[in-house]
PDB file of all heavy atoms in Angstrom:
ATOM      1  N   ASP M 678       0.830  -1.227  -0.025  1.00  0.00           N
ATOM      2  CA  ASP M 678       0.004   0.003  -0.049  1.00  0.00           C
ATOM      3  C   ASP M 678       0.891   1.275  -0.008  1.00  0.00           C
ATOM      4  O   ASP M 678       0.628   2.207  -0.741  1.00  0.00           O
ATOM      5  CB  ASP M 678      -0.919  -0.036   1.222  1.00  0.00           C
ATOM      6  CG  ASP M 678      -2.138   0.835   1.030  1.00  0.00           C
ATOM      7  OD1 ASP M 678      -2.535   1.114  -0.116  1.00  0.00           O
ATOM      8  OD2 ASP M 678      -2.786   1.177   2.050  1.00  0.00           O
ATOM      9  N   ILE M 679       1.909   1.244   0.836  1.00  0.00           N
ATOM     10  CA  ILE M 679       2.796   2.418   0.867  1.00  0.00           C
ATOM     11  C   ILE M 679       3.522   2.574  -0.452  1.00  0.00           C
ATOM     12  O   ILE M 679       3.661   3.679  -0.978  1.00  0.00           O
ATOM     13  CB  ILE M 679       3.753   2.261   2.081  1.00  0.00           C
ATOM     14  CG1 ILE M 679       3.014   2.441   3.389  1.00  0.00           C
ATOM     15  CG2 ILE M 679       4.909   3.275   1.991  1.00  0.00           C
ATOM     16  CD1 ILE M 679       3.855   2.085   4.609  1.00  0.00           C
ATOM     17  N   MET M 680       4.081   1.465  -0.971  1.00  0.00           N
ATOM     18  CA  MET M 680       4.818   1.530  -2.202  1.00  0.00           C
ATOM     19  C   MET M 680       3.985   1.995  -3.375  1.00  0.00           C
ATOM     20  O   MET M 680       4.459   2.581  -4.324  1.00  0.00           O
ATOM     21  CB  MET M 680       5.476   0.187  -2.502  1.00  0.00           C
ATOM     22  CG  MET M 680       6.593  -0.215  -1.574  1.00  0.00           C
ATOM     23  SD  MET M 680       7.319  -1.771  -2.063  1.00  0.00           S
ATOM     24  CE  MET M 680       8.759  -1.829  -1.037  1.00  0.00           C
ATOM     25  N   SER M 681       2.652   1.700  -3.293  1.00  0.00           N
ATOM     26  CA  SER M 681       1.791   1.998  -4.360  1.00  0.00           C
ATOM     27  C   SER M 681       1.299   3.463  -4.334  1.00  0.00           C
ATOM     28  O   SER M 681       0.861   4.011  -5.388  1.00  0.00           O
ATOM     29  CB  SER M 681       0.513   1.126  -4.338  1.00  0.00           C
ATOM     30  OG  SER M 681       0.822  -0.204  -4.450  1.00  0.00           O
ATOM     31  N   ASN M 682       1.411   4.140  -3.226  1.00  0.00           N
ATOM     32  CA  ASN M 682       0.766   5.441  -3.061  1.00  0.00           C
ATOM     33  C   ASN M 682       1.686   6.597  -2.660  1.00  0.00           C
ATOM     34  O   ASN M 682       1.274   7.701  -2.835  1.00  0.00           O
ATOM     35  CB  ASN M 682      -0.365   5.297  -2.022  1.00  0.00           C
ATOM     36  CG  ASN M 682      -1.534   4.508  -2.583  1.00  0.00           C
ATOM     37  OD1 ASN M 682      -2.332   4.970  -3.384  1.00  0.00           O
ATOM     38  ND2 ASN M 682      -1.632   3.228  -2.114  1.00  0.00           N
ATOM     39  N   ASP M 683       2.845   6.336  -2.049  1.00  0.00           N
ATOM     40  CA  ASP M 683       3.686   7.448  -1.622  1.00  0.00           C
ATOM     41  C   ASP M 683       4.037   8.315  -2.828  1.00  0.00           C
ATOM     42  O   ASP M 683       4.652   7.785  -3.809  1.00  0.00           O
ATOM     43  CB  ASP M 683       4.952   6.871  -0.959  1.00  0.00           C
ATOM     44  CG  ASP M 683       4.793   6.737   0.543  1.00  0.00           C
ATOM     45  OD1 ASP M 683       3.609   6.734   1.000  1.00  0.00           O
ATOM     46  OD2 ASP M 683       5.787   6.640   1.243  1.00  0.00           O
ATOM     47  N   VAL M 684       3.748   9.604  -2.774  1.00  0.00           N
ATOM     48  CA  VAL M 684       3.971  10.505  -3.911  1.00  0.00           C
ATOM     49  C   VAL M 684       5.489  10.762  -4.065  1.00  0.00           C
ATOM     50  O   VAL M 684       6.043  10.837  -5.157  1.00  0.00           O
ATOM     51  CB  VAL M 684       3.209  11.765  -3.699  1.00  0.00           C
ATOM     52  CG1 VAL M 684       3.562  12.809  -4.769  1.00  0.00           C
ATOM     53  CG2 VAL M 684       1.698  11.507  -3.700  1.00  0.00           C
ATOM     54  N   CYS M 685       6.165  10.975  -2.928  1.00  0.00           N
ATOM     55  CA  CYS M 685       7.560  11.333  -2.964  1.00  0.00           C
ATOM     56  C   CYS M 685       8.362  10.431  -2.002  1.00  0.00           C
ATOM     57  O   CYS M 685       7.945  10.225  -0.866  1.00  0.00           O
ATOM     58  CB  CYS M 685       7.780  12.765  -2.616  1.00  0.00           C
ATOM     59  SG  CYS M 685       9.451  13.411  -2.787  1.00  0.00           S
ATOM     60  N   VAL M 686       9.502   9.856  -2.472  1.00  0.00           N
ATOM     61  CA  VAL M 686      10.328   9.007  -1.633  1.00  0.00           C
ATOM     62  C   VAL M 686      11.737   9.670  -1.717  1.00  0.00           C
ATOM     63  O   VAL M 686      11.992  10.681  -2.389  1.00  0.00           O
ATOM     64  CB  VAL M 686      10.358   7.589  -2.112  1.00  0.00           C
ATOM     65  CG1 VAL M 686       8.947   6.982  -2.100  1.00  0.00           C
ATOM     66  CG2 VAL M 686      10.956   7.484  -3.560  1.00  0.00           C
ATOM     67  N   ALA M 687      12.706   9.013  -1.023  1.00  0.00           N
ATOM     68  CA  ALA M 687      14.056   9.457  -1.095  1.00  0.00           C
ATOM     69  C   ALA M 687      14.925   8.358  -1.648  1.00  0.00           C
ATOM     70  O   ALA M 687      14.785   7.169  -1.200  1.00  0.00           O
ATOM     71  CB  ALA M 687      14.567   9.905   0.276  1.00  0.00           C
ATOM     72  N   LEU M 688      15.756   8.643  -2.620  1.00  0.00           N
ATOM     73  CA  LEU M 688      16.776   7.708  -3.151  1.00  0.00           C
ATOM     74  C   LEU M 688      18.046   7.966  -2.419  1.00  0.00           C
ATOM     75  O   LEU M 688      18.560   9.118  -2.387  1.00  0.00           O
ATOM     76  CB  LEU M 688      16.915   7.910  -4.654  1.00  0.00           C
ATOM     77  CG  LEU M 688      18.039   7.181  -5.288  1.00  0.00           C
ATOM     78  CD1 LEU M 688      17.871   5.666  -5.257  1.00  0.00           C
ATOM     79  CD2 LEU M 688      18.213   7.640  -6.777  1.00  0.00           C
ATOM     80  N   ALA M 689      18.594   6.943  -1.791  1.00  0.00           N
ATOM     81  CA  ALA M 689      19.903   7.016  -1.116  1.00  0.00           C
ATOM     82  C   ALA M 689      20.961   6.254  -1.860  1.00  0.00           C
ATOM     83  O   ALA M 689      20.710   5.026  -2.144  1.00  0.00           O
ATOM     84  CB  ALA M 689      19.740   6.516   0.320  1.00  0.00           C
ATOM     85  N   TYR M 690      22.052   6.882  -2.221  1.00  0.00           N
ATOM     86  CA  TYR M 690      23.113   6.153  -2.882  1.00  0.00           C
ATOM     87  C   TYR M 690      24.449   6.599  -2.281  1.00  0.00           C
ATOM     88  O   TYR M 690      24.578   7.617  -1.634  1.00  0.00           O
ATOM     89  CB  TYR M 690      23.090   6.420  -4.406  1.00  0.00           C
ATOM     90  CG  TYR M 690      23.218   7.858  -4.842  1.00  0.00           C
ATOM     91  CD1 TYR M 690      24.411   8.465  -5.094  1.00  0.00           C
ATOM     92  CD2 TYR M 690      22.043   8.640  -4.976  1.00  0.00           C
ATOM     93  CE1 TYR M 690      24.525   9.769  -5.471  1.00  0.00           C
ATOM     94  CE2 TYR M 690      22.125   9.979  -5.420  1.00  0.00           C
ATOM     95  CZ  TYR M 690      23.366  10.546  -5.683  1.00  0.00           C
ATOM     96  OH  TYR M 690      23.393  11.838  -6.087  1.00  0.00           O
ATOM     97  N   ARG M 691      25.428   5.772  -2.515  1.00  0.00           N
ATOM     98  CA  ARG M 691      26.754   5.952  -1.847  1.00  0.00           C
ATOM     99  C   ARG M 691      27.627   6.944  -2.590  1.00  0.00           C
ATOM    100  O   ARG M 691      27.564   7.078  -3.830  1.00  0.00           O
ATOM    101  CB  ARG M 691      27.485   4.640  -1.791  1.00  0.00           C
ATOM    102  CG  ARG M 691      26.816   3.609  -0.822  1.00  0.00           C
ATOM    103  CD  ARG M 691      27.603   2.382  -0.747  1.00  0.00           C
ATOM    104  NE  ARG M 691      29.037   2.591  -0.503  1.00  0.00           N
ATOM    105  CZ  ARG M 691      29.779   1.972   0.424  1.00  0.00           C
ATOM    106  NH1 ARG M 691      29.231   1.043   1.151  1.00  0.00           N
ATOM    107  NH2 ARG M 691      31.055   2.266   0.565  1.00  0.00           N
ATOM    108  N   THR M 692      28.493   7.571  -1.849  1.00  0.00           N
ATOM    109  CA  THR M 692      29.510   8.449  -2.442  1.00  0.00           C
ATOM    110  C   THR M 692      30.861   7.634  -2.479  1.00  0.00           C
ATOM    111  O   THR M 692      31.000   6.662  -1.769  1.00  0.00           O
ATOM    112  CB  THR M 692      29.749   9.699  -1.617  1.00  0.00           C
ATOM    113  OG1 THR M 692      30.345   9.346  -0.348  1.00  0.00           O
ATOM    114  CG2 THR M 692      28.455  10.442  -1.376  1.00  0.00           C
ATOM    115  N   PRO M 693      31.766   8.034  -3.329  1.00  0.00           N
ATOM    116  CA  PRO M 693      33.077   7.300  -3.392  1.00  0.00           C
ATOM    117  C   PRO M 693      33.768   7.250  -2.078  1.00  0.00           C
ATOM    118  O   PRO M 693      34.543   6.292  -1.824  1.00  0.00           O
ATOM    119  CB  PRO M 693      33.869   8.109  -4.422  1.00  0.00           C
ATOM    120  CG  PRO M 693      32.831   8.775  -5.266  1.00  0.00           C
ATOM    121  CD  PRO M 693      31.720   9.082  -4.346  1.00  0.00           C
ATOM    122  N   ALA M 694      33.533   8.229  -1.195  1.00  0.00           N
ATOM    123  CA  ALA M 694      34.245   8.287   0.139  1.00  0.00           C
ATOM    124  C   ALA M 694      33.499   7.457   1.179  1.00  0.00           C
ATOM    125  O   ALA M 694      33.999   7.415   2.333  1.00  0.00           O
ATOM    126  CB  ALA M 694      34.430   9.714   0.621  1.00  0.00           C
ATOM    127  N   GLY M 695      32.422   6.823   0.840  1.00  0.00           N
ATOM    128  CA  GLY M 695      31.685   6.012   1.789  1.00  0.00           C
ATOM    129  C   GLY M 695      30.596   6.714   2.496  1.00  0.00           C
ATOM    130  O   GLY M 695      30.035   6.221   3.502  1.00  0.00           O
ATOM    131  N   GLY M 696      30.194   7.921   2.013  1.00  0.00           N
ATOM    132  CA  GLY M 696      29.074   8.623   2.582  1.00  0.00           C
ATOM    133  C   GLY M 696      27.804   8.265   1.808  1.00  0.00           C
ATOM    134  O   GLY M 696      27.755   7.351   1.048  1.00  0.00           O
ATOM    135  N   VAL M 697      26.786   9.041   2.061  1.00  0.00           N
ATOM    136  CA  VAL M 697      25.465   8.873   1.459  1.00  0.00           C
ATOM    137  C   VAL M 697      24.898  10.129   0.963  1.00  0.00           C
ATOM    138  O   VAL M 697      25.009  11.195   1.665  1.00  0.00           O
ATOM    139  CB  VAL M 697      24.478   8.194   2.454  1.00  0.00           C
ATOM    140  CG1 VAL M 697      23.030   8.211   1.947  1.00  0.00           C
ATOM    141  CG2 VAL M 697      24.906   6.767   2.731  1.00  0.00           C
ATOM    142  N   VAL M 698      24.253  10.149  -0.205  1.00  0.00           N
ATOM    143  CA  VAL M 698      23.457  11.280  -0.733  1.00  0.00           C
ATOM    144  C   VAL M 698      21.983  10.814  -0.714  1.00  0.00           C
ATOM    145  O   VAL M 698      21.636   9.727  -1.131  1.00  0.00           O
ATOM    146  CB  VAL M 698      23.883  11.633  -2.167  1.00  0.00           C
ATOM    147  CG1 VAL M 698      22.943  12.697  -2.690  1.00  0.00           C
ATOM    148  CG2 VAL M 698      25.297  12.144  -2.153  1.00  0.00           C
ATOM    149  N   LEU M 699      21.140  11.683  -0.155  1.00  0.00           N
ATOM    150  CA  LEU M 699      19.698  11.452  -0.169  1.00  0.00           C
ATOM    151  C   LEU M 699      19.037  12.490  -1.083  1.00  0.00           C
ATOM    152  O   LEU M 699      19.284  13.736  -0.879  1.00  0.00           O
ATOM    153  CB  LEU M 699      19.129  11.594   1.253  1.00  0.00           C
ATOM    154  CG  LEU M 699      19.468  10.484   2.233  1.00  0.00           C
ATOM    155  CD1 LEU M 699      19.302  10.985   3.643  1.00  0.00           C
ATOM    156  CD2 LEU M 699      18.555   9.301   2.040  1.00  0.00           C
ATOM    157  N   THR M 700      18.256  12.095  -2.066  1.00  0.00           N
ATOM    158  CA  THR M 700      17.629  12.982  -2.999  1.00  0.00           C
ATOM    159  C   THR M 700      16.191  12.590  -3.180  1.00  0.00           C
ATOM    160  O   THR M 700      15.865  11.397  -3.247  1.00  0.00           O
ATOM    161  CB  THR M 700      18.389  13.039  -4.358  1.00  0.00           C
ATOM    162  OG1 THR M 700      17.790  14.010  -5.172  1.00  0.00           O
ATOM    163  CG2 THR M 700      18.322  11.697  -5.028  1.00  0.00           C
ATOM    164  N   PRO M 701      15.248  13.542  -3.232  1.00  0.00           N
ATOM    165  CA  PRO M 701      13.845  13.179  -3.440  1.00  0.00           C
ATOM    166  C   PRO M 701      13.536  12.830  -4.850  1.00  0.00           C
ATOM    167  O   PRO M 701      13.977  13.434  -5.785  1.00  0.00           O
ATOM    168  CB  PRO M 701      13.105  14.523  -3.032  1.00  0.00           C
ATOM    169  CG  PRO M 701      14.118  15.572  -3.284  1.00  0.00           C
ATOM    170  CD  PRO M 701      15.466  14.989  -3.012  1.00  0.00           C
ATOM    171  N   VAL M 702      12.698  11.733  -5.001  1.00  0.00           N
ATOM    172  CA  VAL M 702      12.298  11.261  -6.307  1.00  0.00           C
ATOM    173  C   VAL M 702      10.920  10.743  -6.154  1.00  0.00           C
ATOM    174  O   VAL M 702      10.348  10.686  -5.054  1.00  0.00           O
ATOM    175  CB  VAL M 702      13.255  10.144  -6.876  1.00  0.00           C
ATOM    176  CG1 VAL M 702      14.635  10.614  -7.065  1.00  0.00           C
ATOM    177  CG2 VAL M 702      13.227   8.929  -5.890  1.00  0.00           C
ATOM    178  N   THR M 703      10.272  10.304  -7.243  1.00  0.00           N
ATOM    179  CA  THR M 703       8.951   9.618  -7.185  1.00  0.00           C
ATOM    180  C   THR M 703       9.130   8.247  -7.834  1.00  0.00           C
ATOM    181  O   THR M 703       9.845   8.133  -8.852  1.00  0.00           O
ATOM    182  CB  THR M 703       7.845  10.381  -7.847  1.00  0.00           C
ATOM    183  OG1 THR M 703       6.651   9.612  -7.715  1.00  0.00           O
ATOM    184  CG2 THR M 703       8.141  10.679  -9.326  1.00  0.00           C
ATOM    185  N   THR M 704       8.498   7.254  -7.281  1.00  0.00           N
ATOM    186  CA  THR M 704       8.511   5.922  -7.940  1.00  0.00           C
ATOM    187  C   THR M 704       7.366   5.794  -8.960  1.00  0.00           C
ATOM    188  O   THR M 704       7.296   4.825  -9.694  1.00  0.00           O
ATOM    189  CB  THR M 704       8.335   4.783  -6.921  1.00  0.00           C
ATOM    190  OG1 THR M 704       7.003   4.923  -6.324  1.00  0.00           O
ATOM    191  CG2 THR M 704       9.373   4.883  -5.800  1.00  0.00           C
ATOM    192  N   VAL M 705       6.420   6.746  -8.958  1.00  0.00           N
ATOM    193  CA  VAL M 705       5.213   6.637  -9.732  1.00  0.00           C
ATOM    194  C   VAL M 705       4.537   5.359  -9.437  1.00  0.00           C
ATOM    195  O   VAL M 705       3.845   4.686 -10.271  1.00  0.00           O
ATOM    196  CB  VAL M 705       5.462   6.818 -11.260  1.00  0.00           C
ATOM    197  CG1 VAL M 705       4.164   7.208 -11.964  1.00  0.00           C
ATOM    198  CG2 VAL M 705       6.519   7.895 -11.504  1.00  0.00           C
ATOM    199  N   GLY M 706       4.699   4.864  -8.210  1.00  0.00           N
ATOM    200  CA  GLY M 706       4.074   3.647  -7.767  1.00  0.00           C
ATOM    201  C   GLY M 706       4.584   2.333  -8.381  1.00  0.00           C
ATOM    202  O   GLY M 706       3.965   1.291  -8.253  1.00  0.00           O
ATOM    203  N   MET M 707       5.767   2.388  -9.104  1.00  0.00           N
ATOM    204  CA  MET M 707       6.285   1.235  -9.797  1.00  0.00           C
ATOM    205  C   MET M 707       6.990   0.280  -8.849  1.00  0.00           C
ATOM    206  O   MET M 707       7.989   0.664  -8.256  1.00  0.00           O
ATOM    207  CB  MET M 707       7.148   1.664 -10.911  1.00  0.00           C
ATOM    208  CG  MET M 707       6.385   2.332 -12.058  1.00  0.00           C
ATOM    209  SD  MET M 707       7.441   2.616 -13.558  1.00  0.00           S
ATOM    210  CE  MET M 707       8.587   3.872 -12.932  1.00  0.00           C
ATOM    211  N   HIS M 708       6.437  -0.921  -8.659  1.00  0.00           N
ATOM    212  CA  HIS M 708       7.079  -1.962  -7.871  1.00  0.00           C
ATOM    213  C   HIS M 708       6.491  -3.294  -8.315  1.00  0.00           C
ATOM    214  O   HIS M 708       5.403  -3.371  -8.925  1.00  0.00           O
ATOM    215  CB  HIS M 708       6.794  -1.721  -6.400  1.00  0.00           C
ATOM    216  CG  HIS M 708       5.345  -1.846  -6.027  1.00  0.00           C
ATOM    217  ND1 HIS M 708       4.434  -0.877  -6.255  1.00  0.00           N
ATOM    218  CD2 HIS M 708       4.664  -2.822  -5.388  1.00  0.00           C
ATOM    219  CE1 HIS M 708       3.258  -1.201  -5.836  1.00  0.00           C
ATOM    220  NE2 HIS M 708       3.347  -2.370  -5.301  1.00  0.00           N
ATOM    221  N   ASP M 709       7.240  -4.368  -8.022  1.00  0.00           N
ATOM    222  CA  ASP M 709       6.781  -5.707  -8.447  1.00  0.00           C
ATOM    223  C   ASP M 709       7.111  -6.657  -7.288  1.00  0.00           C
ATOM    224  O   ASP M 709       8.225  -7.113  -7.104  1.00  0.00           O
ATOM    225  CB  ASP M 709       7.540  -6.140  -9.696  1.00  0.00           C
ATOM    226  CG  ASP M 709       7.052  -7.468 -10.219  1.00  0.00           C
ATOM    227  OD1 ASP M 709       6.356  -8.238  -9.491  1.00  0.00           O
ATOM    228  OD2 ASP M 709       7.320  -7.796 -11.413  1.00  0.00           O
ATOM    229  N   PRO M 710       6.116  -6.902  -6.393  1.00  0.00           N
ATOM    230  CA  PRO M 710       6.369  -7.826  -5.272  1.00  0.00           C
ATOM    231  C   PRO M 710       6.831  -9.190  -5.714  1.00  0.00           C
ATOM    232  O   PRO M 710       7.629  -9.806  -5.023  1.00  0.00           O
ATOM    233  CB  PRO M 710       4.999  -7.863  -4.550  1.00  0.00           C
ATOM    234  CG  PRO M 710       4.290  -6.626  -4.968  1.00  0.00           C
ATOM    235  CD  PRO M 710       4.731  -6.361  -6.390  1.00  0.00           C
ATOM    236  N   ALA M 711       6.309  -9.694  -6.774  1.00  0.00           N
ATOM    237  CA  ALA M 711       6.686 -11.043  -7.221  1.00  0.00           C
ATOM    238  C   ALA M 711       8.161 -11.096  -7.599  1.00  0.00           C
ATOM    239  O   ALA M 711       8.859 -12.081  -7.297  1.00  0.00           O
ATOM    240  CB  ALA M 711       5.821 -11.501  -8.389  1.00  0.00           C
ATOM    241  N   ALA M 712       8.610 -10.077  -8.266  1.00  0.00           N
ATOM    242  CA  ALA M 712      10.032 -10.012  -8.691  1.00  0.00           C
ATOM    243  C   ALA M 712      10.910  -9.438  -7.548  1.00  0.00           C
ATOM    244  O   ALA M 712      12.139  -9.535  -7.624  1.00  0.00           O
ATOM    245  CB  ALA M 712      10.200  -9.190  -9.914  1.00  0.00           C
ATOM    246  N   GLY M 713      10.328  -8.787  -6.541  1.00  0.00           N
ATOM    247  CA  GLY M 713      11.061  -8.190  -5.489  1.00  0.00           C
ATOM    248  C   GLY M 713      11.808  -6.919  -5.941  1.00  0.00           C
ATOM    249  O   GLY M 713      12.959  -6.712  -5.590  1.00  0.00           O
ATOM    250  N   THR M 714      11.181  -6.114  -6.756  1.00  0.00           N
ATOM    251  CA  THR M 714      11.797  -4.936  -7.325  1.00  0.00           C
ATOM    252  C   THR M 714      11.010  -3.687  -7.090  1.00  0.00           C
ATOM    253  O   THR M 714       9.762  -3.726  -6.972  1.00  0.00           O
ATOM    254  CB  THR M 714      12.062  -5.095  -8.812  1.00  0.00           C
ATOM    255  OG1 THR M 714      10.827  -5.209  -9.505  1.00  0.00           O
ATOM    256  CG2 THR M 714      12.978  -6.259  -9.143  1.00  0.00           C
ATOM    257  N   VAL M 715      11.675  -2.562  -7.013  1.00  0.00           N
ATOM    258  CA  VAL M 715      11.083  -1.243  -6.981  1.00  0.00           C
ATOM    259  C   VAL M 715      11.772  -0.424  -8.163  1.00  0.00           C
ATOM    260  O   VAL M 715      12.970  -0.616  -8.340  1.00  0.00           O
ATOM    261  CB  VAL M 715      11.311  -0.507  -5.654  1.00  0.00           C
ATOM    262  CG1 VAL M 715      10.872   0.912  -5.737  1.00  0.00           C
ATOM    263  CG2 VAL M 715      10.563  -1.279  -4.519  1.00  0.00           C
TER     264      VAL M 715
END
């Protein structure tokens, strides 16, 4: 339900130095529980 409806999420990815960048994105509700993907 959350994955289907959240309008804005945060994408977290690593920096070369081992830190993290958080940036807002939208999934447009795209996910596949059977495949285990977002």
Side-chain angles (χ1 to χ4, degrees):
D678 203 20
I679 290 171
M680 289 183 171
S681 299
N682 290 283
D683 271 17
V684 174
C685 188
V686 302
L688 170 65
Y690 58 91
R691 292 181 50 132
T692 68
V697 168
V698 174
L699 289 158
T700 184
V702 297
T703 180
T704 66
V705 200
M707 292 189 291
H708 64 285
D709 185 342
T714 61
V715 172

